Amino acid sequence: MAASENPLKVLTARLRRPLMLTWAGLIAERLVRAFWPVWSVIAAGAAALMLGLQDMAAVEVVWGVGMLGALAVLTFGVLGLARFRFPRRAEALARLDDAMPGRPLAALGDVQAIGAGDAGSAALWQAHQARMAARAAQARAVEPDLRLSRQDPFGLRYIALLGLVVALLFGSVWRAGTVAQMVPGGGGAALASGPTWEGWIEPPAYTGLPSLYLADQGAVIEVPEGSRITLRFYGEVGALSLTETLSAEGAEAASTDPEQQFEVARTGELRIDGPGGRAWTVQAIADTAPTVEVVEREARTAFDGQMSQPFAARDDYGVVSGGAVFELDLARVDRRHGLAIEPEPRAAIRLDLPMPLAGDRTEFTETLVENLSEHPWAHLPVTLRLQVEDAAGQEGLSEPFEMALPARRFFDPMAAAVIEQRRDLLWSRQNAPRVAQVLRAVSYKPEDRLFRSEKAYLRLRVIIRQLEAMTQSDGLDEAERDEIAQALWDLGVLLEDGDMGDALERMRAAQERLSEAMKNGASEEEIARLMQDLRDATQDYLRQKMQQAERENPEESDQRSAENMMQMNQQDLQDMMDRIQDLMEQGRYAEAQQALEEFQQMMENMQVTQGQGQQGQSPGEQAMEGLAETLREQQGLSDQAFRDLQEQFNPGAQSGQSQNNEGRSGGEGRGESHDGQQGQGGQGGEQQGQGGEGREQAEGGEGAEGSLAERQEALRQELERQRQGLPQLGGEAGEAARDALDRAGRAMEGAEEALRSDDLAGAIDNQAEAMEALREGMRNMGEAMAEQQNPGGQGDAEGQPGQAQADPLGREAGQGRQVGTQDSLLQGEDVYRRARELLDEIRKRSGEGERPDVELDYLRRLLERF
């Protein structure tokens, strides 16, 4: 029997393609490992040439580095050739065989050594060969190993490649040709083409304008004054010369220096004489001085005397700084009483103008915010001049602007008298005897309700004695005068604001200040501020009366005849105050004064009772109302934390009014109070009782974060108390409600820790998580209550006459100006599930961008409210 053909040869013919690919991979491996230093040096050199580094170095340095690079390429090339070995076909076959299990190609090339004459052994050998042939038929090309981490541990090849990519992106291939012009002795391209030149124009850095390549410019060039022109002459020295009339020296003599630099100071001519020379007319654009002007002719003044004066500034390249100067306009001062004598010399008031933190400063509008209420010139005629400066050092001044120095106004007659005498004392120390005499005269009969407390009267008597003693000794010096002036200011503030510890006294004081403001023709902003003070004082008074009613015997309260009492809720009182404010805004001050007197009389005679609505509520509804109150208080804390975070980046922003924020107390009397103060049964009673002083401390500096942290802790403890008192709710909804409230407690704890570490941003995130968890818990709790069909819940739609119905979040509907209805719209339907469906529908519609902006804004307000 003839010998069969060698199976390896047959299979090799079939594996031609994977064998050739493996062979090519072996060649690539050995080329890369042998010559990677060569192409790394070439890439680095090409990157340097395309970036134009040769133009920034001396000729000797350029050619020295070039020779070293060429030597490196030659050396690495010789070493690579010595290291490179061209792979043989057998090596490729061996690598392909190594990649397969059992080395089938080697097995196919073997012959049977023993047992060739035995039929069984021969059959076994043929089976083995057939299996190896089948395995070899599945051979695939082996990928080459191009890793060079062992040969290049520092990644030099990647550095060279990165430089080449940067040069291709930001450089130019044509710049590499300039190296040929550096041949010494005029050899190469420079020798063939003769002398050549190149130049650049670099505008001042503060202009932000790009550099100009002189060879690419037309006959007329416009550049800013102060631009630097750089010229380089190549070739034989003296073949090219420069003539210019642009620099400050104005030298018209030709210069042949190889490298020249000068600044453009005026419009003139620039000419290069010689082979390839050109001429340009360079127009120097002068840097105009900045300008600034007052935008509004009347500065806005906040309730605490903080001035807000808008201004507009512009410059062709940007304003860098500015200031405001207030000077006393003595000619316009009403020189009567304490102002009749000559004033003591006093320096002008100088303030820094706020600049935009980011963005373009070529034209902007900002607001100067400062409180100058304690300055001796408060409410006196002054002249305001604004000054701005640009990067070139040029200054711009605004036109003198006449105004009365904005400051806090005092409406209490005694407080206004004290502040006026303080002004006279600061005007001149010669007024000291007169000031003491006037203060004694106005406080002659303190029993005529001039002083709301004995504390204020006693402080005034002490100040008068100190002033008289200092005057009779050696006269007042500046330190003693400033001490007395500070004491008078503190006394005036105390007389104006009153004793905030007594809620009734504070409410009466707010009503009297509002009445005085209407009589004296105060501005709308001042009346709005006083109206807000009255609202806050009324809230405090109602809270105190409610707590007093809770301590009384409820049986006696229930026995009172409802026929002999006029029942009013809190919304009715708010409607009355809104009516008073509307009358004042319409200019009907007589009617507003009468309504204010009736409101004051009603409040003093009012008796607050528990009412029967809450007594008829189920435990679940009471718990729901408590959680709703906790949610509102958490929203208030979050709003205040957000305002404090804004004030960190914009210290001049006015608290509660910056960027139309109404989160804290609703801004100018608008919106819902979000001071984070607790309502009935809350934890904020003590803080509210501290009055304005505690509120001011909570809004400034490090004390703000500390106060917020304490209030956050109190709110978390209140939530824990509410969780312990929750009714037993079964089912999945009840379990989900307890889990959500547990998450809310943990989020509040995280917010408390963030506030104590001054991390306002982290606190706001945790507070948002707590509010979301509270909303989810209340929704789940409502579903659980609906499933249990509590007879004391929503089924009692027909409650007692004075009982107010509440929605799933505990909000009363249909009261006063609140949106509501007296009709039963649900007709027994699941109110909690219906409320959730309505909320989902509002969210869906608020996300539809094609709706009108007015509708989208209304939907967003609904989401924020509920």
Side-chain angles (χ1 to χ4, degrees), residues 67-295:
M67 292 179 65
L68 289 177
L71 182 61
V73 171
L74 180 60
T75 303
F76 289 134
V78 172
L79 294 176
L81 288 174
R83 191 183 306 119
F84 180 74
R85 292 290 183 272
F86 196 83
R88 295 173 298 173
R89 185 173 181 276
E91 293 176 344
L93 190 62
R95 167 166 289 197
L96 185 63
D97 194 22
D98 289 340
M100 294 182 291
R103 297 178 62 87
L105 296 180
L108 291 175
D110 293 342
V111 295
Q112 186 176 2
I114 59 175
D118 183 47
S121 298
L124 180 61
W125 176 255
Q126 290 177 1
H128 171 67
Q129 290 285 81
R131 186 170 62 250
M132 290 297 103
R135 186 176 299 175
Q138 300 176 0
R140 297 291 182 270
V142 181
E143 296 181 0
D145 184 9
L146 302 179
R147 291 175 295 180
L148 299 174
S149 55
R150 293 184 179 179
Q151 289 80 7
D152 184 17
F154 299 105
L156 299 179
R157 64 193 186 282
Y158 294 126
I159 297 176
L161 181 61
L162 176 62
L164 182 60
V165 173
V166 171
L168 290 174
L169 292 176
F170 303 103
S172 173
V173 178
W174 303 109
R175 302 191 69 174
T178 60
V179 71
Q181 303 173 3
M182 299 183 179
V183 178
L191 200 62
S193 60
T196 186
W197 57 268
E198 73 179 333
W200 303 268
I201 303 178
E202 301 178 42
Y206 67 84
T207 63
L209 298 176
S211 298
L212 303 177
Y213 190 60
L214 194 57
D216 297 337
Q217 305 306 311
V220 179
I221 308 175
E222 294 183 355
V223 296
E225 286 186 356
S227 299
R228 177 172 294 274
I229 297 181
T230 302
L231 287 170
R232 287 181 182 172
F233 295 156
Y234 306 113
E236 183 180 354
V237 177
L240 297 174
S241 62
L242 170 67
T243 303
E244 56 88 11
T245 58
L246 303 174
S247 60
E249 294 79 7
E252 298 185 4
S255 176
T256 60
D257 295 337
E259 183 173 350
Q260 302 182 47
Q261 287 186 350
F262 58 90
E263 290 186 356
V264 177
R266 56 187 178 181
T267 299
E269 299 292 331
L270 175 66
R271 188 175 68 254
I272 298 176
D273 299 319
R278 291 179 59 182
W280 299 270
T281 298
V282 180
Q283 296 181 355
I285 302 176
D287 187 354
T288 58
T291 60
V292 62
E293 61 181 355
V294 176
V295 175

Side-chain angles (χ1 to χ4, degrees), residues 466-488:
Q466 289 179 348
L467 182 58
E468 291 175 342
M470 294 176 182
T471 305
Q472 293 173 2
S473 57
D474 298 331
L476 284 176
D477 56 21
E478 292 187 3
E480 293 173 339
R481 177 200 62 190
D482 294 341
E483 180 183 355
I484 295 297
Q486 184 62 44
L488 288 173

